[in-house]
Amino acid sequence: KPQGLANTAWAFATLGVLAPQLFDAIARASKKRIGNLKPQGLANIAWAFATLNVRAPEFFDAIAHASEQRIGTFNAQELANTAWAFAIVDTADRCALVKVLSARATEMGLAAF
């Protein structure tokens, strides 16, 4: 289940435990199911990979694309976590996603933060 993969990545990152083989497996499995992740799952998995400095450019590109598709349903916390994660990693889609995140945050208004 996609949310379980996101939760596992989040748990390891929260503990500060880098497990390269696990994160590679999570990236491969999640990429196939990225369309099934809700905004919280997308934000959490991006945050987890960025927190542990896991480099997975193709996976982050998939997260960026999926996030752009659902940006209208992101809440303030999900926007902030996703923006932070993409500020940490170096990915081709980073600039485009940051623009979309910024537009959504502006649309929501600062009161939501």
Side-chain angles (χ1 to χ4, degrees):
K1 297 180 181 181
Q3 190 62 48
L5 294 169
N7 292 348
T8 300
W10 176 87
F12 274 76
T14 299
L15 293 171
V17 176
L18 178 59
Q21 290 179 326
L22 174 64
F23 275 79
D24 286 345
I26 288 172
R28 282 192 312 276
S30 296
K31 190 175 174 190
K32 295 175 186 174
R33 301 178 188 113
I34 200 86
N36 296 326
L37 275 173
K38 295 178 182 176
Q40 181 182 5
L42 291 168
N44 286 354
I45 206 163
W47 176 88
F49 274 65
T51 295
L52 293 175
N53 203 25
V54 176
R55 298 296 174 202
E58 290 181 12
F59 183 50
F60 269 90
D61 290 345
I63 293 170
H65 180 68
S67 296
E68 288 174 13
Q69 298 299 311
R70 292 179 198 67
I71 199 66
T73 61
F74 274 57
N75 66 31
Q77 185 69 52
E78 294 155 354
L79 286 173
N81 288 356
T82 305
W84 178 85
F86 275 82
I88 297 300
V89 300
D90 186 23
T91 179
D93 286 343
R94 179 176 66 182
C95 292
L97 179 62
V98 169
K99 287 180 184 176
V100 171
L101 292 168
S102 174
R104 173 67 176 146
T106 301
E107 175 186 296
M108 290 175 70
L110 294 179
F113 293 84

XYZ file of all heavy atoms in Angstrom:
851
model
N 0.849 -1.185 0.000
C 0.000 0.000 0.000
C 0.886 1.236 0.000
O 1.837 1.318 0.786
C -0.910 -0.008 1.211
C -1.877 -1.175 1.224
C -2.758 -1.129 2.436
C -3.692 -2.310 2.426
N -4.587 -2.313 3.552
N 0.566 2.211 -0.839
C 1.405 3.400 -0.960
C 1.565 4.176 0.347
O 2.660 4.633 0.666
C 0.680 4.249 -2.008
C -0.218 3.326 -2.727
C -0.529 2.209 -1.792
N 0.494 4.321 1.115
C 0.605 5.075 2.365
C 1.531 4.379 3.352
O 2.266 5.026 4.087
C -0.775 5.299 2.994
C -0.765 6.265 4.155
C -0.307 7.663 3.749
O -0.769 8.212 2.762
N 0.602 8.246 4.512
N 1.520 3.067 3.353
C 2.425 2.316 4.216
C 3.880 2.560 3.858
O 4.743 2.659 4.739
N 4.171 2.677 2.568
C 5.532 2.978 2.129
C 5.942 4.372 2.600
O 7.054 4.577 3.091
C 5.627 2.880 0.602
C 5.426 1.481 0.019
C 5.280 1.556 -1.496
C 6.578 0.574 0.410
N 5.033 5.332 2.449
C 5.318 6.698 2.905
C 5.522 6.732 4.412
O 6.433 7.400 4.913
C 4.179 7.647 2.495
N 4.697 6.003 5.140
C 4.818 5.964 6.598
C 6.140 5.334 7.035
O 6.758 5.777 8.006
C 3.655 5.196 7.218
C 2.338 5.915 7.070
O 2.279 7.085 6.713
N 1.261 5.204 7.311
N 6.567 4.303 6.326
C 7.836 3.646 6.654
C 9.000 4.601 6.433
O 9.887 4.725 7.288
C 8.018 2.371 5.811
O 6.931 1.481 6.099
C 9.338 1.692 6.104
N 9.003 5.293 5.295
C 10.065 6.268 5.016
C 10.069 7.359 6.076
O 11.126 7.748 6.590
C 9.883 6.862 3.621
N 8.874 7.849 6.432
C 8.762 8.908 7.438
C 9.316 8.433 8.787
O 10.038 9.163 9.469
C 7.297 9.335 7.576
C 7.080 10.346 8.647
C 7.178 11.695 8.536
C 6.748 10.080 10.019
N 6.925 12.294 9.742
C 6.659 11.323 10.674
C 6.519 8.920 10.745
C 6.344 11.432 12.026
C 6.208 9.023 12.092
C 6.119 10.272 12.710
N 8.984 7.225 9.173
C 9.432 6.689 10.466
C 10.954 6.586 10.519
O 11.574 6.994 11.509
C 8.796 5.323 10.727
N 11.557 6.057 9.474
C 13.018 5.932 9.455
C 13.680 7.309 9.476
O 14.681 7.513 10.165
C 13.480 5.107 8.247
C 13.479 3.628 8.507
C 12.291 2.909 8.530
C 14.661 2.944 8.741
C 12.270 1.546 8.785
C 14.663 1.578 9.000
C 13.463 0.881 9.026
N 13.120 8.255 8.736
C 13.683 9.607 8.721
C 13.523 10.286 10.081
O 14.434 10.976 10.553
C 13.032 10.451 7.631
N 12.386 10.087 10.717
C 12.152 10.668 12.040
C 13.162 10.137 13.044
O 13.643 10.875 13.912
C 10.709 10.373 12.500
O 9.808 10.974 11.563
C 10.440 10.935 13.876
N 13.525 8.874 12.912
C 14.524 8.272 13.787
C 15.950 8.601 13.349
O 16.900 8.308 14.080
C 14.339 6.753 13.822
C 13.060 6.253 14.483
C 12.898 4.750 14.244
C 13.066 6.573 15.965
N 16.092 9.155 12.153
C 17.423 9.485 11.640
C 18.190 8.271 11.164
O 19.422 8.279 11.147
N 17.477 7.243 10.754
C 18.104 5.994 10.326
C 18.123 5.918 8.803
O 17.075 5.814 8.165
C 17.346 4.777 10.898
C 17.939 3.482 10.365
C 17.365 4.802 12.415
N 19.314 5.990 8.248
C 19.469 5.863 6.804
C 19.678 4.389 6.472
O 20.632 3.764 6.949
C 20.660 6.685 6.302
C 20.945 6.598 4.813
C 19.731 7.052 4.007
C 22.148 7.453 4.460
N 18.784 3.860 5.686
C 18.845 2.466 5.249
C 18.768 2.480 3.724
O 17.671 2.416 3.156
C 17.700 1.671 5.868
N 19.916 2.612 3.066
C 19.921 2.808 1.606
C 19.131 1.774 0.812
O 18.379 2.141 -0.098
C 21.413 2.757 1.248
C 22.107 3.181 2.495
C 21.268 2.637 3.617
N 19.280 0.500 1.143
C 18.550 -0.520 0.395
C 17.044 -0.391 0.591
O 16.269 -0.557 -0.349
C 19.017 -1.916 0.795
C 20.431 -2.212 0.322
C 20.893 -3.594 0.755
O 20.534 -4.069 1.823
N 21.703 -4.228 -0.092
N 16.630 -0.074 1.805
C 15.209 0.120 2.077
C 14.672 1.306 1.288
O 13.618 1.221 0.659
C 14.968 0.325 3.576
C 13.525 0.671 3.956
C 12.580 -0.477 3.622
C 13.447 1.038 5.424
N 15.403 2.418 1.306
C 14.924 3.607 0.606
C 14.919 3.410 -0.904
O 14.035 3.931 -1.594
C 15.714 4.845 1.036
C 15.142 5.459 2.282
C 15.416 4.919 3.531
C 14.287 6.541 2.219
C 14.876 5.459 4.679
C 13.725 7.088 3.362
C 14.026 6.545 4.600
N 15.869 2.655 -1.439
C 15.838 2.311 -2.862
C 14.580 1.509 -3.179
O 13.901 1.754 -4.180
C 17.075 1.510 -3.267
C 18.329 2.354 -3.346
O 18.226 3.608 -3.368
O 19.429 1.767 -3.381
N 14.280 0.542 -2.321
C 13.087 -0.293 -2.522
C 11.815 0.540 -2.391
O 10.869 0.368 -3.172
C 13.077 -1.450 -1.523
N 11.782 1.456 -1.435
C 10.615 2.326 -1.260
C 10.432 3.201 -2.491
O 9.314 3.377 -2.987
C 10.746 3.178 0.023
C 10.556 2.299 1.263
C 9.727 4.326 0.018
C 10.862 2.994 2.575
N 11.518 3.750 -3.018
C 11.430 4.598 -4.208
C 10.889 3.803 -5.398
O 9.994 4.276 -6.111
C 12.795 5.198 -4.536
N 11.418 2.610 -5.612
C 10.954 1.783 -6.733
C 9.476 1.422 -6.592
O 8.695 1.560 -7.537
C 11.793 0.513 -6.849
C 13.140 0.714 -7.493
C 13.808 -0.609 -7.843
N 13.812 -1.599 -6.763
C 14.722 -1.654 -5.783
N 15.705 -0.772 -5.743
N 14.643 -2.588 -4.853
N 9.098 0.971 -5.418
C 7.709 0.550 -5.196
C 6.750 1.743 -5.227
O 5.655 1.647 -5.791
C 7.587 -0.188 -3.871
N 7.154 2.858 -4.637
C 6.281 4.026 -4.578
C 6.104 4.670 -5.942
O 5.027 5.193 -6.254
C 6.842 5.058 -3.604
O 6.854 4.554 -2.296
N 7.162 4.664 -6.730
C 7.084 5.283 -8.063
C 5.982 4.627 -8.897
O 5.261 5.309 -9.621
C 8.433 5.187 -8.765
C 8.505 6.003 -10.019
C 9.905 5.975 -10.602
C 9.917 6.672 -11.941
N 11.154 6.481 -12.646
N 5.830 3.332 -8.746
C 4.793 2.605 -9.478
C 3.390 2.979 -9.010
O 2.438 2.859 -9.757
C 4.996 1.096 -9.324
C 6.264 0.578 -9.937
C 6.448 -0.895 -9.622
C 7.795 -1.385 -10.101
N 8.056 -2.770 -9.692
N 3.284 3.406 -7.737
C 1.970 3.688 -7.139
C 1.798 5.150 -6.759
O 0.906 5.484 -5.983
C 1.798 2.835 -5.889
C 1.902 1.354 -6.140
C 1.772 0.599 -4.823
N 2.059 -0.797 -5.007
C 3.114 -1.422 -4.487
N 3.972 -0.776 -3.748
N 3.309 -2.695 -4.715
N 2.654 6.000 -7.277
C 2.675 7.404 -6.837
C 1.312 8.085 -7.036
O 0.930 8.944 -6.266
C 3.811 8.183 -7.544
C 4.166 9.438 -6.771
C 3.466 8.522 -8.972
C 5.148 9.222 -5.695
N 0.588 7.668 -8.046
C -0.726 8.251 -8.303
C -1.750 7.930 -7.230
O -2.786 8.585 -7.150
N -1.463 6.955 -6.399
C -2.393 6.567 -5.335
C -2.093 7.238 -3.999
O -2.853 7.060 -3.044
C -2.380 5.050 -5.148
C -2.884 4.323 -6.368
O -3.769 4.809 -7.065
N -2.318 3.176 -6.658
N -0.985 7.969 -3.931
C -0.654 8.649 -2.672
C -1.474 9.924 -2.528
O -1.626 10.689 -3.474
C 0.833 9.003 -2.622
C 1.771 7.922 -2.135
C 3.221 8.355 -2.312
C 1.510 7.595 -0.680
N -1.962 10.139 -1.337
C -2.660 11.385 -1.015
C -1.616 12.462 -0.753
O -0.431 12.160 -0.568
C -3.550 11.169 0.214
C -4.666 10.175 -0.055
C -5.492 9.945 1.171
C -6.565 8.900 0.859
N -7.350 8.560 2.017
N -2.021 13.726 -0.704
C -1.052 14.798 -0.465
C -0.180 14.587 0.769
O 1.026 14.837 0.730
C -1.929 16.044 -0.332
C -3.086 15.758 -1.230
C -3.342 14.286 -1.013
N -0.751 14.084 1.858
C 0.048 13.848 3.063
C 1.145 12.822 2.782
O 2.279 12.968 3.216
C -0.816 13.380 4.222
C -0.004 13.148 5.486
C -0.832 12.645 6.653
O -2.015 12.364 6.512
N -0.215 12.524 7.809
N 0.808 11.775 2.063
C 1.793 10.760 1.721
C 2.889 11.303 0.824
O 4.077 11.006 1.026
N 2.513 12.107 -0.159
C 3.501 12.726 -1.045
C 4.442 13.629 -0.248
O 5.656 13.569 -0.414
C 2.804 13.534 -2.147
C 2.045 12.732 -3.188
C 1.161 13.643 -4.028
C 3.018 11.955 -4.071
N 3.859 14.456 0.611
C 4.667 15.372 1.418
C 5.575 14.610 2.376
O 6.758 14.938 2.523
C 3.761 16.331 2.195
N 5.038 13.583 3.018
C 5.827 12.823 3.994
C 6.971 12.066 3.346
O 8.080 12.010 3.893
C 4.933 11.861 4.774
C 4.075 12.557 5.796
O 4.207 13.752 6.030
N 3.165 11.828 6.395
N 6.715 11.479 2.197
C 7.776 10.704 1.564
C 8.857 11.627 1.012
O 10.052 11.335 1.111
C 7.209 9.721 0.518
C 8.146 8.536 0.361
C 6.897 10.391 -0.802
C 7.521 7.331 -0.308
N 8.455 12.774 0.471
C 9.448 13.754 0.003
C 10.273 14.261 1.183
O 11.506 14.356 1.113
C 8.752 14.911 -0.709
N 9.607 14.560 2.298
C 10.290 15.048 3.499
C 11.279 14.005 4.009
O 12.409 14.329 4.376
C 9.266 15.384 4.582
C 9.888 15.805 5.861
C 10.256 17.070 6.213
C 10.233 14.961 6.970
N 10.813 17.061 7.472
C 10.811 15.775 7.956
C 10.109 13.594 7.221
C 11.265 15.268 9.173
C 10.558 13.093 8.427
C 11.130 13.933 9.385
N 10.858 12.748 4.032
C 11.713 11.677 4.549
C 12.978 11.527 3.712
O 14.090 11.465 4.251
C 10.941 10.357 4.578
N 12.822 11.478 2.406
C 13.985 11.322 1.532
C 14.915 12.527 1.666
O 16.135 12.370 1.725
C 13.548 11.127 0.081
C 13.254 9.690 -0.275
C 12.199 9.009 0.316
C 14.029 9.018 -1.202
C 11.932 7.689 -0.008
C 13.772 7.694 -1.531
C 12.722 7.023 -0.930
N 14.357 13.725 1.713
C 15.186 14.932 1.840
C 15.863 15.001 3.204
O 17.032 15.382 3.305
C 14.340 16.183 1.602
N 15.159 14.627 4.250
C 15.716 14.659 5.607
C 16.960 13.783 5.713
O 17.950 14.171 6.346
C 14.657 14.199 6.630
O 13.597 15.169 6.630
C 15.232 14.081 8.028
N 16.922 12.629 5.072
C 18.061 11.714 5.119
C 19.015 11.909 3.941
O 19.959 11.156 3.778
C 17.569 10.264 5.168
C 16.839 9.885 6.452
C 16.280 8.470 6.356
C 17.747 10.026 7.671
N 18.734 12.944 3.132
C 19.577 13.268 1.987
C 19.703 12.093 1.014
O 20.781 11.821 0.488
C 20.953 13.750 2.443
C 21.632 14.591 1.392
O 20.982 15.196 0.545
N 22.950 14.629 1.431
N 18.605 11.398 0.815
C 18.569 10.284 -0.132
C 18.399 10.870 -1.526
O 17.435 11.582 -1.784
C 17.411 9.305 0.180
C 17.326 8.212 -0.874
C 17.572 8.721 1.571
N 19.329 10.585 -2.393
C 19.280 11.092 -3.767
C 18.533 10.094 -4.644
O 18.968 8.969 -4.829
C 20.688 11.329 -4.306
C 21.451 12.364 -3.535
C 20.788 13.709 -3.669
N 21.432 14.691 -2.808
C 20.851 15.785 -2.393
N 19.616 16.047 -2.730
N 21.474 16.638 -1.625
N 17.395 10.525 -5.146
C 16.569 9.698 -6.024
C 15.884 10.634 -7.026
O 14.680 10.873 -6.939
C 15.558 8.913 -5.204
N 16.643 11.201 -7.974
C 16.100 12.226 -8.882
C 14.844 11.802 -9.641
O 13.894 12.584 -9.736
C 17.253 12.513 -9.845
C 18.468 11.991 -9.190
C 18.039 10.915 -8.243
N 14.829 10.592 -10.168
C 13.650 10.150 -10.922
C 12.433 10.024 -10.011
O 11.311 10.334 -10.414
C 13.933 8.823 -11.619
C 14.912 8.949 -12.769
C 15.153 7.618 -13.451
O 14.402 6.641 -13.200
O 16.112 7.549 -14.243
N 12.659 9.588 -8.788
C 11.566 9.472 -7.837
C 11.035 10.851 -7.468
O 9.827 11.068 -7.413
C 12.024 8.696 -6.607
C 10.945 8.468 -5.587
C 9.711 7.958 -5.954
C 11.167 8.764 -4.259
C 8.713 7.739 -5.008
C 10.182 8.552 -3.304
C 8.955 8.041 -3.689
N 11.928 11.804 -7.251
C 11.483 13.160 -6.944
C 10.750 13.793 -8.120
O 9.805 14.562 -7.927
C 12.651 14.032 -6.478
C 12.829 13.998 -4.988
C 13.637 13.057 -4.393
C 12.158 14.901 -4.183
C 13.785 13.010 -3.017
C 12.290 14.865 -2.797
C 13.109 13.917 -2.220
N 11.165 13.473 -9.340
C 10.429 13.961 -10.509
C 9.008 13.411 -10.499
O 8.047 14.126 -10.805
C 11.148 13.587 -11.806
C 12.444 14.360 -12.005
O 12.665 15.379 -11.319
O 13.252 13.924 -12.849
N 8.855 12.137 -10.123
C 7.522 11.527 -10.038
C 6.700 12.177 -8.923
O 5.500 12.425 -9.094
C 7.645 10.022 -9.806
N 7.338 12.466 -7.790
C 6.644 13.148 -6.693
C 6.194 14.529 -7.151
O 5.068 14.954 -6.874
C 7.540 13.257 -5.442
C 7.819 11.883 -4.842
C 6.888 14.175 -4.391
C 8.887 11.900 -3.759
N 7.070 15.236 -7.864
C 6.738 16.579 -8.347
C 5.521 16.534 -9.267
O 4.581 17.324 -9.116
C 7.928 17.193 -9.074
N 5.532 15.603 -10.187
C 4.414 15.490 -11.133
C 3.113 15.159 -10.397
O 2.075 15.775 -10.638
C 4.726 14.432 -12.184
C 3.632 14.258 -13.189
N 3.307 15.224 -14.119
C 2.759 13.238 -13.382
C 2.294 14.805 -14.841
N 1.944 13.601 -14.417
N 3.156 14.190 -9.500
C 1.957 13.808 -8.748
C 1.472 14.958 -7.869
O 0.266 15.184 -7.743
C 2.240 12.573 -7.905
N 2.404 15.707 -7.284
C 2.033 16.845 -6.430
C 1.352 17.938 -7.245
O 0.362 18.534 -6.803
C 3.266 17.406 -5.729
O 3.823 16.445 -4.859
N 1.889 18.211 -8.413
C 1.284 19.228 -9.281
C -0.144 18.842 -9.649
O -1.018 19.712 -9.719
C 2.128 19.420 -10.540
C 3.427 20.137 -10.279
C 4.321 20.208 -11.505
O 3.850 19.913 -12.623
O 5.500 20.562 -11.334
N -0.390 17.568 -9.862
C -1.722 17.095 -10.231
C -2.734 17.285 -9.104
O -3.917 17.472 -9.351
C -1.676 15.599 -10.620
C -0.805 15.307 -11.814
C -1.280 16.006 -13.063
O -2.453 15.950 -13.400
N -0.374 16.687 -13.743
N -2.256 17.248 -7.839
C -3.156 17.329 -6.679
C -2.997 18.613 -5.868
O -3.500 18.701 -4.764
C -2.875 16.153 -5.747
C -3.250 14.830 -6.301
C -2.891 13.775 -5.275
N -2.815 12.443 -5.796
C -1.920 11.991 -6.667
N -0.993 12.774 -7.135
N -1.948 10.755 -7.082
N -2.292 19.572 -6.394
C -1.915 20.749 -5.606
C -3.121 21.441 -4.972
O -3.013 21.985 -3.877
C -1.076 21.742 -6.454
C -0.309 22.696 -5.548
C -1.952 22.493 -7.451
C 0.751 22.045 -4.719
N -4.261 21.393 -5.601
C -5.454 22.039 -5.054
C -5.966 21.414 -3.773
O -6.786 22.011 -3.073
N -5.468 20.231 -3.431
C -5.931 19.554 -2.222
C -4.883 19.557 -1.107
O -5.142 19.018 -0.034
C -6.334 18.093 -2.534
O -5.192 17.386 -3.029
C -7.450 18.046 -3.567
N -3.726 20.157 -1.347
C -2.679 20.235 -0.320
C -3.080 21.240 0.748
O -3.566 22.331 0.436
C -1.350 20.693 -0.933
C -0.513 19.593 -1.515
C -1.005 18.762 -2.507
C 0.786 19.403 -1.078
C -0.225 17.766 -3.056
C 1.577 18.397 -1.621
C 1.072 17.578 -2.612
N -2.859 20.881 2.011
C -3.064 21.855 3.085
C -1.737 22.580 3.349
O -0.718 22.282 2.709
C -3.639 21.189 4.343
C -2.678 20.212 4.997
O -1.458 20.348 4.953
N -3.238 19.194 5.642
N -1.746 23.497 4.290
C -0.561 24.321 4.550
C 0.648 23.481 4.962
O 1.766 23.714 4.489
C -0.872 25.368 5.619
N 0.447 22.509 5.828
C 1.558 21.668 6.284
C 2.153 20.856 5.138
O 3.367 20.723 5.012
C 1.091 20.723 7.396
C 2.222 19.913 8.008
C 3.182 20.783 8.808
O 2.751 21.532 9.669
N 4.466 20.691 8.531
N 1.290 20.304 4.302
C 1.763 19.521 3.158
C 2.524 20.391 2.168
O 3.556 19.968 1.624
C 0.569 18.829 2.489
C -0.061 17.784 3.391
C -1.517 17.484 3.101
O -2.134 18.153 2.246
O -2.056 16.566 3.762
N 2.041 21.610 1.951
C 2.762 22.546 1.082
C 4.142 22.865 1.646
O 5.147 22.825 0.928
C 1.981 23.857 0.932
C 0.751 23.845 0.054
C 0.018 25.173 0.172
C 1.121 23.578 -1.403
N 4.185 23.177 2.932
C 5.458 23.543 3.565
C 6.447 22.386 3.539
O 7.630 22.581 3.198
C 5.211 24.006 4.999
N 6.008 21.190 3.874
C 6.908 20.034 3.884
C 7.427 19.706 2.486
O 8.601 19.386 2.309
C 6.213 18.804 4.473
C 6.026 18.911 5.962
O 6.461 19.848 6.612
N 5.339 17.933 6.525
N 6.552 19.799 1.502
C 6.958 19.508 0.127
C 7.913 20.571 -0.390
O 8.935 20.244 -1.016
C 5.726 19.384 -0.785
O 4.841 18.387 -0.241
C 6.107 18.977 -2.196
N 7.619 21.835 -0.118
C 8.517 22.909 -0.553
C 9.890 22.752 0.087
O 10.924 22.898 -0.589
C 7.912 24.273 -0.203
N 9.916 22.443 1.381
C 11.207 22.259 2.066
C 11.985 21.110 1.432
O 13.179 21.230 1.160
C 10.984 21.992 3.554
C 12.275 21.746 4.257
C 13.127 22.682 4.762
C 12.893 20.473 4.487
N 14.239 22.066 5.292
C 14.117 20.709 5.139
C 12.528 19.164 4.210
C 14.981 19.690 5.511
C 13.378 18.134 4.580
C 14.595 18.408 5.232
N 11.310 19.984 1.196
C 11.987 18.810 0.623
C 12.586 19.139 -0.740
O 13.735 18.784 -1.021
C 11.007 17.646 0.507
N 11.836 19.845 -1.565
C 12.339 20.157 -2.901
C 13.390 21.262 -2.872
O 14.183 21.382 -3.808
C 11.189 20.474 -3.860
C 10.604 19.229 -4.457
C 9.672 18.482 -3.758
C 11.021 18.773 -5.691
C 9.157 17.311 -4.284
C 10.508 17.601 -6.230
C 9.573 16.866 -5.521
N 13.428 22.036 -1.814
C 14.514 23.011 -1.661
C 15.819 22.306 -1.316
O 16.898 22.791 -1.650
C 14.161 24.019 -0.574
N 15.733 21.161 -0.666
C 16.907 20.400 -0.247
C 17.495 19.586 -1.395
O 18.705 19.499 -1.549
C 16.551 19.459 0.936
C 16.109 20.272 2.156
C 17.695 18.526 1.280
C 17.138 21.223 2.689
N 16.638 18.974 -2.185
C 17.123 18.094 -3.254
C 17.333 18.875 -4.540
O 16.783 19.954 -4.736
C 16.152 16.920 -3.512
C 15.982 16.077 -2.279
C 14.829 17.403 -4.040
N 18.132 18.307 -5.399
C 18.394 18.918 -6.696
C 17.722 18.058 -7.754
O 18.173 16.956 -8.051
C 19.905 18.993 -6.948
C 20.226 19.758 -8.210
O 19.395 20.566 -8.648
O 21.306 19.519 -8.768
N 16.633 18.549 -8.298
C 15.882 17.791 -9.290
C 15.439 18.718 -10.409
O 15.251 19.918 -10.198
C 14.665 17.086 -8.649
O 13.947 16.381 -9.654
C 13.750 18.042 -7.956
N 15.282 18.173 -11.576
C 14.928 18.968 -12.745
C 13.586 19.674 -12.575
O 13.407 20.796 -13.044
C 14.901 18.081 -13.986
N 12.640 19.039 -11.904
C 11.302 19.607 -11.764
C 11.150 20.534 -10.558
O 10.071 21.011 -10.284
C 10.264 18.481 -11.659
C 10.021 17.807 -12.991
O 10.388 18.392 -14.022
O 9.470 16.702 -12.995
N 12.242 20.789 -9.849
C 12.142 21.567 -8.616
C 11.564 22.957 -8.859
O 10.637 23.367 -8.166
C 13.500 21.674 -7.946
C 13.448 22.497 -6.672
C 14.752 22.525 -5.960
N 15.739 23.225 -6.748
C 17.002 23.376 -6.385
N 17.422 22.852 -5.255
N 17.844 24.030 -7.117
N 12.078 23.680 -9.833
C 11.623 25.056 -10.056
C 10.149 25.115 -10.422
O 9.419 25.957 -9.917
C 12.468 25.730 -11.126
S 14.166 26.027 -10.590
N 9.724 24.208 -11.277
C 8.322 24.197 -11.684
C 7.418 23.898 -10.497
O 6.390 24.555 -10.313
C 8.107 23.177 -12.797
N 7.797 22.938 -9.694
C 6.968 22.578 -8.544
C 6.938 23.707 -7.518
O 5.880 24.010 -6.971
C 7.442 21.288 -7.882
C 6.620 20.867 -6.657
C 5.166 20.602 -7.032
C 7.220 19.663 -5.984
N 8.059 24.336 -7.268
C 8.092 25.433 -6.293
C 7.161 26.557 -6.732
O 6.461 27.158 -5.908
C 9.534 25.916 -6.057
C 9.559 27.210 -5.259
C 10.329 24.835 -5.338
N 7.086 26.824 -8.010
C 6.149 27.854 -8.518
C 4.702 27.448 -8.245
O 3.889 28.272 -7.829
C 6.363 28.081 -10.007
C 7.621 28.835 -10.324
C 7.785 29.021 -11.818
C 9.109 29.705 -12.107
N 9.363 29.829 -13.545
N 4.394 26.177 -8.468
C 3.038 25.689 -8.224
C 2.718 25.742 -6.730
O 1.625 26.158 -6.330
C 2.873 24.255 -8.787
C 1.550 23.643 -8.369
C 2.997 24.264 -10.301
N 3.668 25.330 -5.896
C 3.470 25.381 -4.443
C 3.271 26.814 -3.972
O 2.399 27.100 -3.140
C 4.666 24.758 -3.720
C 4.856 23.251 -3.880
C 6.223 22.828 -3.363
C 3.750 22.478 -3.185
N 4.070 27.714 -4.508
C 3.959 29.125 -4.142
C 2.594 29.693 -4.526
O 1.968 30.417 -3.744
C 5.080 29.908 -4.824
O 4.931 31.278 -4.598
N 2.141 29.369 -5.708
C 0.832 29.853 -6.156
C -0.276 29.318 -5.258
O -1.193 30.053 -4.882
C 0.586 29.442 -7.611
N -0.188 28.057 -4.882
C -1.205 27.466 -4.001
C -1.177 28.120 -2.625
O -2.221 28.424 -2.045
C -0.990 25.944 -3.883
C -1.878 25.263 -2.872
C -3.336 25.267 -3.255
N -4.100 24.516 -2.262
C -5.321 24.807 -1.892
N -5.969 25.806 -2.445
N -5.931 24.083 -0.977
N 0.022 28.355 -2.093
C 0.133 29.004 -0.781
C -0.461 30.407 -0.831
O -1.176 30.822 0.088
C 1.597 29.057 -0.356
N -0.196 31.133 -1.897
C -0.749 32.486 -2.049
C -2.264 32.427 -2.138
O -2.968 33.233 -1.521
C -0.162 33.152 -3.310
O 1.260 33.198 -3.178
C -0.705 34.562 -3.484
N -2.764 31.460 -2.876
C -4.212 31.271 -3.026
C -4.873 30.980 -1.669
O -5.951 31.462 -1.385
C -4.442 30.108 -3.993
C -5.866 29.696 -4.186
C -5.940 28.440 -5.044
O -5.544 28.497 -6.221
O -6.396 27.393 -4.529
N -4.195 30.178 -0.853
C -4.740 29.804 0.442
C -4.720 30.980 1.421
O -5.531 31.051 2.330
C -3.938 28.646 1.052
C -4.127 27.347 0.341
S -3.042 26.065 1.002
C -3.773 25.791 2.615
N -3.774 31.878 1.243
C -3.627 33.004 2.155
C -2.792 32.610 3.361
O -2.749 31.454 3.772
N -2.129 33.568 3.920
C -1.217 33.292 5.047
C -1.936 32.823 6.306
O -1.334 32.207 7.161
C -0.369 34.517 5.341
C 0.622 34.899 4.239
C 1.384 36.142 4.641
C 1.576 33.755 3.945
N -3.208 33.075 6.409
C -3.946 32.645 7.595
C -3.935 31.124 7.730
O -4.017 30.586 8.837
C -5.379 33.150 7.535
N -3.793 30.429 6.608
C -3.776 28.968 6.635
C -2.485 28.435 7.223
O -2.410 27.285 7.620
C -3.957 28.408 5.215
N -1.470 29.272 7.294
C -0.178 28.857 7.812
C -0.073 29.285 9.235
O 0.609 29.151 10.029
C 0.947 29.446 6.967
C 0.966 28.878 5.587
C 0.163 29.388 4.600
C 1.775 27.804 5.279
C 0.168 28.856 3.319
C 1.795 27.264 4.000
C 0.981 27.800 3.022
